[in-house]
Amino acid sequence: LGCYCLAKRTQDQEYWDTSRELLVWLERNKIETPHGWGWGLQFDWQSEAFVPQNTPCVTITAIVATAFYETYCLTQEGRYLTFLQKSADFIVHDLNKAIRHGAQVFSYSLCDQRLVVNANSYAALVLFYALQYFPNAEHQGVMEGLLDYIIKEQNEDGSWYYHDKQQ
């Protein structure tokens, strides 16, 4: 995504070429889940939960989906839209779920139950991108619920806790 932004800003062919190479790498390194595609870190990650390398998580998937979205917007190559649709399907159908403030919210990764506010904002972003090209009533309802959840989790001073307030 960084090379893409530099290419767009500078029009330097080397950045465009690097961006294309990285997109090909992302395509080859997608992780197929039961319902979609996700991306994870290339190394084990330990915080409150242990996340093994190449475990799809919502934050990395959203950054990758943004790169494909931006590339589609620039090139109008329809194949990039498939990555948005598959990323949205991964989020809605494969991540662990909970109900908060009446909304369905999602875990950070496939292997934990943590509800992280910014991760759910990334989930809403991916759904927003995908819904522009793939109208889906279920995904629309989930996205609207996520936005409501994020607003309800906000503190009076405008900040958010990292985790859901109920955890």
Side-chain angles (χ1 to χ4, degrees):
L1 188 56
C3 282
Y4 169 81
C5 290
L6 285 169
K8 191 173 175 182
R9 181 180 175 109
T10 67
Q11 297 299 310
D12 184 324
Q13 187 61 44
E14 186 174 340
Y15 290 130
W16 289 117
D17 295 343
T18 300
S19 297
R20 289 287 184 176
E21 290 172 22
L22 292 170
L23 285 171
V24 168
W25 186 91
L26 289 169
E27 288 180 49
R28 278 190 298 218
N29 287 278
K30 69 184 177 291
I31 302 158
E32 294 192 27
T33 63
H35 297 95
W37 298 338
W39 288 262
L41 296 170
Q42 299 298 301
F43 50 86
D44 293 340
W45 181 62
Q46 176 74 53
S47 65
E48 293 97 9
F50 177 73
V51 180
Q53 86 178 68
N54 297 321
T55 299
C57 64
V58 68
T59 54
I60 304 302
T61 298
I63 293 166
V64 170
T66 299
F68 284 112
Y69 172 78
E70 293 290 345
T71 301
Y72 171 76
C73 290
L74 178 70
T75 67
Q76 299 296 299
E77 291 179 40
R79 68 190 196 89
Y80 294 119
L81 293 178
T82 303
F83 292 89
L84 298 179
Q85 184 177 35
K86 292 293 202 171
S87 296
D89 288 341
F90 155 70
I91 289 167
V92 171
H93 299 293
D94 295 323
L95 289 170
N96 298 310
K97 300 167 185 66
I99 301 295
R100 293 291 194 271
H101 305 294
Q104 178 176 276
V105 297
F106 302 98
S107 64
Y108 194 88
S109 73
L110 292 174
C111 63
D112 69 296
Q113 300 292 327
R114 295 173 301 144
L115 303 177
V116 177
V117 177
N118 80 315
N120 278 280
S121 68
Y122 277 123
L125 178 66
V126 172
L127 294 175
F128 172 77
Y129 289 152
L131 284 164
Q132 292 179 60
Y133 305 100
F134 304 101
N136 178 310
E138 177 188 14
H139 290 191
Q140 180 74 36
V142 169
M143 184 191 72
E144 290 171 2
L146 287 171
L147 296 174
D148 190 50
Y149 162 75
I150 293 162
I151 290 167
K152 288 179 178 173
E153 283 292 306
Q154 190 171 25
N155 298 313
E156 285 188 27
D157 67 0
S159 66
W160 284 269
Y161 293 115
Y162 181 72
H163 285 103
D164 178 280
K165 290 178 187 175
Q166 295 182 33
Q167 281 187 223

